[in-house]
Amino acid sequence: AAKDAGKNQVQMYRPELAVERDRRTRLVADLRRALVNEEFAVYYQPVVELSTGRVRAVEALVRWIPPGQLPVAPGEFIPVAEECGLISPLGTWVLRRALRDIRDWYERYGISVTVNVSGRQLREPGIVDLILGELAGQGLPGKSLVVEITETVLVAETASEEAVVRALLERLRQHGVAVAVDDFGTGYSSLAYLRTLPVDVLKIDRVFVQEAAGGSDSAALLRAIVEMAKSLRLRTVAEAVETPAQATRLRQLHCPLAQGYHFSRPIPAEELSALLASDGGRIEVEPTVAA
Ligand code: C2E
Ligand code: MG
Ligand code: MG
Ligand code: MG
């Protein structure tokens, strides 16, 4: 603050900072109200098996829908919720809703749900018991749930903090819950390091996927990631597949799973139910070539 900066220093007047601060304050208040009034919804994006087009899993993605307004993307409010301590109650709400929704899809189609868990929520005391309790409450086995964390949650840690995260992920896995690492390739962890961690699923970041069809270095990297992940017995999911060419390329590389706008955007639960009910939950991987 200007006061702390010392008497002899010149402070720049920066109105944009005040505006930004006000916006934040309002956003925090709005988020608190939104939690109380349950203004959130969970959308689901299919994760498709590339060899068959079958929907094998769905990723739960939270949306904030203030009354009478358009849905707000999580990029806008998740970072704020993390800072102001609202991420844990919000995360618990998403988990509960996602498990409630997956029950029918799990029983009918064997589909699991992937839920994003922020680093802060993962460090909340009792998080494993909370997750296992929610599963039990729905009568669901651990394997119906995948906990998705980002690379940085695992890596940017002191050794003792890392040991804590490792232990709780291991406990989840003992109960059949799978662990997915998101945005792989953007952080600093190597696959060799990843192999030592309690992880089952590798989600390849969009930067590698979106250049998949080109002949660039990224395409070579993509191939290396898919092959190494396979040799480490990690399931790989390619994120943000947007074009038929990308889907084709990923299939050629034997990447097992993919999600992205090319297959489906994240959709409300009712729409997903309809999608799964039609054609046995199959989505066209590559457009059929017109004869
Ligand atoms: P994420 O975990 O990497 O989720 C994938 C994001 O990519 C989603 O954005 C999804 O809508 C978007 N996406 C899917 N297919 C495509 C595609 O083909 N092209 C492009 N460009 N994007 C695609 P969304 O829903 O806006 O979520 C953004 C991020 O917010 C998520 O990234 C995740 O980190 C976070 N998030 C979402 N829901 C939750 C939640 O319930 N809890 C927590 N802690 N974080 C969440
Ligand atoms: Mg994620
Ligand atoms: Mg994701
Ligand atoms: Mg991602």
Side-chain angles (χ1 to χ4, degrees), residues 23-38:
R23 201 186 69 88
R24 284 238 145 181
T25 309
R26 220 174 313 122
L27 191 53
V28 170
D30 286 348
L31 275 174
R32 275 186 217 288
R33 188 208 61 222
L35 258 173
V36 173
N37 299 344
E38 297 206 44

Side-chain angles (χ1 to χ4, degrees), residues 59 116 148 182:
E59 178 170 0
N116 284 277
E148 180 172 309
D182 196 20

Side-chain angles (χ1 to χ4, degrees), residues 59 61 116-117 148-150 182-183 203 239:
E59 178 170 0
L61 294 158
N116 284 277
V117 177
E148 180 172 309
I149 57 179
T150 56
D182 196 20
D183 304 335
K203 301 192 79 163
E239 275 196 314

